[in-house]
Amino acid sequence: MHGLPKDFDGSVFVGKEVMQVCFTVNQVSIHFEDAMGITAEGPLCHSLTMDDEGTTYEPPIRNGELQGLVGHAVTEATVIGPGDLRLRFDDGQSLIFCDDTPAYESYHIRLGDKEIHV
């Protein structure tokens, strides 16, 4: 549980469209326009609607509906607690990146040349 920097402003994701969702054995990467992205190595919770309590995924992911994020833009970014980040999308979907392990990084945020390890 490394947490987000105290000065982190998630609004940098607002208006950014998901261009690609990639899966590997140990990671899920969400690529946004403008060389921005988030790579999860720990759990993430995906909800299809605001009323949906969501599905929690943890790599390796073998199936699911994360690919449905492609083509949708972020409408809201909220820091939850010290290290969780929730993104809401223009079609009602949401994605929460969870900072749940004290021993390892849970996810990485890429903002152009800058990286934040959470």
Side-chain angles (χ1 to χ4, degrees), residues 2-110:
H2 294 82
L4 284 158
K6 294 196 185 313
D7 63 346
F8 178 75
D9 182 7
S11 69
V12 298
F13 283 101
V14 173
K16 302 301 180 192
E17 183 178 326
V18 174
M19 306 305 289
Q20 187 178 52
V21 178
C22 299
F23 302 91
T24 69
V25 171
N26 300 314
Q27 301 175 328
V28 176
S29 295
I30 312 294
H31 300 277
F32 297 86
E33 59 187 313
D34 297 334
M36 296 173 60
I38 303 176
T39 298
E41 295 173 347
L44 57 153
C45 182
H46 178 231
S47 300
L48 295 173
T49 66
M50 294 192 68
D51 297 328
D52 176 20
E53 67 181 58
T55 301
T56 300
Y57 297 102
E58 195 160 346
I61 297 174
R62 302 279 185 234
N63 56 32
E65 300 192 39
L66 291 172
Q67 67 277 9
L69 293 167
V70 174
H72 293 286
V74 175
T75 57
E76 180 185 334
T78 307
V79 175
I80 305 168
D84 293 356
L85 176 64
R86 179 179 55 222
L87 302 179
R88 291 197 189 277
F89 295 86
D90 58 12
D91 67 341
Q93 293 185 76
S94 68
L95 193 56
I96 300 174
F97 295 89
C98 303
D99 179 22
D100 77 328
T101 178
Y104 304 99
E105 291 88 7
S106 298
Y107 62 96
H108 309 273
I109 299 172
R110 188 180 72 258

